[in-house]
Amino acid sequence: MKKIIKSLLIGLFTWTLFVPTCAQVQAESSIDDLSYEELLKEADGQTVNFYGWGGDDSLNQWLDEVYGPTLKEKYNITLNRVPMDIDQILTQLSNEKQANASESDIDMIWINGENFKTARENDFLYGPFTDKMPNYKDFVKADDPENTHDFGYPIEGFEAPYSKAQLVFIKDSAVTEATPKSAQELLEYCKANPGTFTYPALPDFTGSAFVRNIIYEFVDYQEFQDMEADKEVVKAAIQPVLDYLNELKPYLWSEGKTYPADAPALNNLFMDGEVAFYQTYGAYEIANQIEKGAYPETAVSFVFDKGTIGNTSFIAIGKNASHKAAAIVAINEMLSPEMQLSKYKEIGEIPVLENDQLTEEQKAAFDEVDPGKGTLGQDELLDHRLPEMPAQLVPIIEEIWLEEVAGK
C-alpha cells in the first residue's frame, strides 16, 4: 500500500511539474490559431517591449516620436523601447530558458546574422509568424534571398525584415581629395598618408563588415557560400587578405597598435579630423549628420568599384514573449508603406518593401524622397551591393583576425 501511495505521489509531482509546460503550449497554440483580426483584439491595451541596440540616436528618436505614437493611436499598443546589446539579450534569453521561465519580457528583438543563427539553434524564438501579417504578404518579396536567408541561414518565418543596410565610406571632400575605390588603392593611400585611416576592432559589427568586404576584394564571395565552417579551411581561403591587412597595419592610425572599439569611436575620430574616412552600415547616415551640423556640407559617401556588403536587419519575437499578439501587430505596422516611407524619409533607412508590390501612388511617394546631401542613390547602392557571408563563417573570421592581425 505504501508503495502504491508513493507511486501516486511521484506521479502527481511529475504531473505538477509538467502543467506549466502544457499551459505554455496551449498559450502558444491559441496565438497560432488566431486570425489577424483576432490578434488585433488580443493586442489592444498591451505594452510591447522592443529590445535592441540603442546606439543610434536618430533611430531611437524615430521609434519614440513616430512609430510608438502610431502604435498607440492605431492599435492602443504601448511601445516600450529597451536599449540592450544583442549579446546581453541572448544571455537573458538563455538564462530564462535554463530557469524554465514560462513568460518573458522580451517581446520584439532587433536581430540578424550570427545572432539570429544562435537564437534559432537554441530555440529562443517564437515562430513562424510572418504568415500572420497582412503587410508581409502584400508588400514583402517573400522569395527574395535576403528574406529567405539571413547571413546564409534559413529564416523560415522566424523574423521579419526591419531595414536594409549597406557599407559605405565617408570623407570630407574639402580635406581629402583621394577616393580609394579598391583595397589596393586604399593601401596606396595609407602608405602615402600614414595614420589617417583605421577601422573598428573586430568583433565590432562595422569592423567585421570592413574586413569581410576586403575579403571580397581578393576572393569571390561565391566561394564562401558553401564553405565548410572549419578554421583551417577559412584561414587558407583568406590568407591573401591577412597578408594585406598586416601590410596595411603599420600605416593605420596609432600604427595599428590599437583600434577604435566600435563604429561610434571611429566616427569621433573622423569628426575630430584624426582620420580621413569613416565606414558605416548606415548608407544615408551622412545626410543626417550634415543636417545636424556634425559633418561639414562637403562630406560625401562612396563605395568600392567591386561593391560593398549589404544586409537586412530583422525583428524576431521571443519564444516566451508575454505579448506575442502585440508584437505581431507592431511588426506588421513596421512593414506598412507608411512606416517604411517615414523611416526612409526621416532617418535614411533603406526600405525593405518590394517596389513592384506597391501602388503607383506609393511608388511615387518613395521616389520623391531626397536622401539628402552626400548620399549615393539607391540604384548605385543596389548596383554595388554584395551579399553577406554565411553566419557560421563570421565568428571564425573574427577569431582569425584577432590572432593573425591584431595579435601580431
Side-chain angles (χ1 to χ4, degrees):
M1 183 67 178
K2 290 181 178 180
K3 290 183 178 179
I4 294 174
I5 293 174
K6 184 177 180 180
S7 297
L8 288 171
L9 288 172
I10 291 173
L12 179 61
F13 179 69
T14 303
W15 179 83
T16 302
L17 288 177
F18 187 67
V19 167
T21 305
C22 287
Q24 181 183 341
V25 170
Q26 289 174 353
E28 287 195 5
S29 296
S30 65
I31 290 292
D32 290 344
D33 295 339
L34 295 181
S35 66
Y36 186 71
E37 289 70 25
E38 291 169 327
L39 287 169
L40 286 171
K41 294 178 182 178
E42 181 78 14
D44 186 5
Q46 289 188 349
T47 294
V48 64
N49 302 308
F50 189 3
Y51 280 67
W53 182 62
D56 187 332
D57 292 338
S58 296
L59 176 59
N60 294 341
Q61 183 176 359
W62 182 84
L63 290 169
D64 293 340
E65 297 180 4
V66 179
Y67 180 58
T70 299
L71 292 180
K72 188 66 176 178
E73 180 181 347
K74 292 180 68 172
Y75 311 107
N76 193 27
I77 293 173
T78 301
L79 178 70
N80 179 37
R81 185 172 56 80
V82 184
M84 184 179 287
D85 289 344
I86 188 61
D87 56 342
Q88 295 174 292
I89 297 171
L90 294 177
T91 297
Q92 184 169 327
L93 289 169
S94 178
N95 291 340
E96 290 174 352
K97 183 177 180 180
Q98 291 177 21
N100 292 317
S102 60
E103 289 193 345
S104 171
D105 288 334
I106 301 178
D107 298 319
M108 297 162 59
I109 309 166
W110 184 10
I111 194 170
N112 78 336
E114 58 198 282
N115 297 309
F116 173 68
K117 180 176 182 290
T118 297
R120 282 286 287 122
E121 290 178 342
N122 286 278
D123 195 27
F124 291 162
L125 303 179
Y126 167 74
F129 66 86
T130 54
D131 60 335
K132 304 178 186 302
M133 301 187 301
N135 286 337
Y136 186 90
K137 296 175 183 177
D138 291 344
F139 302 114
V140 175
K141 188 177 181 181
D143 60 354
D144 187 313
E146 288 201 51
N147 294 324
T148 61
H149 289 76
D150 184 354
F151 280 63
Y153 192 83
I155 293 172
E156 299 175 332
F158 278 79
E159 57 181 3
Y162 184 25
S163 60
K164 289 185 177 181
Q166 186 165 342
L167 190 71
V168 297
F169 298 89
I170 295 174
K171 71 168 189 175
D172 180 355
S173 61
V175 175
T176 306
E177 183 178 348
T179 305
K181 288 300 193 83
S182 67
Q184 183 58 40
E185 288 185 12
L186 178 61
L187 177 61
E188 292 170 0
Y189 168 85
C190 290
K191 287 183 175 181
N193 304 272
T196 61
F197 178 81
T198 190
Y199 56 95
L202 281 63
D204 170 74
F205 198 65
T206 304
S208 182
F210 169 75
V211 169
R212 296 196 301 276
N213 218 108
I214 295 297
I215 289 173
Y216 285 167
E217 288 277 300
F218 289 84
V219 187
D220 191 285
Y221 70 85
Q222 293 179 345
E223 291 193 25
F224 297 96
Q225 300 310 302
D226 298 315
M227 183 174 287
E228 180 184 0
D230 177 84
K231 187 174 180 179
E232 293 306 315
V233 172
V234 175
K235 183 179 176 182
I238 67 171
Q239 188 58 53
V241 184
L242 300 175
D243 295 339
Y244 169 88
L245 292 172
N246 280 315
E247 184 179 357
L248 180 69
K249 186 175 178 179
Y251 302 102
L252 296 177
W253 171 83
S254 190
E255 298 179 340
K257 295 174 182 176
T258 60
Y259 296 80
D262 50 28
L266 176 62
N267 193 32
N268 287 336
L269 291 176
F270 173 69
M271 290 191 294
D272 290 342
E274 290 194 52
V275 296
F277 303 100
Y278 172 52
Q279 308 116 49
T280 175
Y281 255 129
Y284 296 136
E285 177 182 343
I286 184 172
N288 296 323
Q289 296 284 39
I290 292 174
E291 185 175 348
K292 291 190 301 184
Y295 289 175
E297 297 276 336
T298 48
V300 295
S301 55
F302 64 95
V303 294
F304 281 171
D305 286 339
K306 280 190 176 181
T308 54
I309 289 176
N311 67 46
T312 302
S313 64
F314 296 85
I315 303 176
I317 300 174
K319 184 176 181 65
N320 295 321
S322 300
H323 312 106
K324 290 189 179 75
I328 293 170
V329 172
I331 297 171
N332 182 71
E333 180 61 26
M334 182 65 76
L335 292 175
S336 69
E338 293 77 16
M339 284 297 98
Q340 287 290 309
L341 177 62
S342 174
K343 194 146 61 80
Y344 176 39
K345 188 175 182 178
E346 300 299 327
I347 58 176
E349 293 278 349
I350 303 175
V352 299
L353 308 184
E354 174 60 28
N355 196 51
D356 291 342
Q357 292 174 217
L358 298 173
T359 66
E360 292 303 318
E361 184 179 353
Q362 290 166 341
K363 289 179 188 177
F366 279 94
D367 289 341
E368 288 171 3
V369 175
D370 179 4
K373 295 179 179 178
T375 60
L376 298 172
Q378 276 206 62
D379 289 344
E380 185 171 357
L381 285 173
L382 294 177
D383 287 345
H384 291 83
R385 189 174 178 87
L386 298 173
E388 266 293 359
M389 288 269 185
Q392 65 269 22
L393 301 185
V394 175
I396 296 175
I397 291 169
E398 292 168 350
E399 182 181 346
I400 293 171
W401 181 88
L402 287 167
E403 295 173 353
E404 300 296 328
V405 180
K408 289 188 175 180

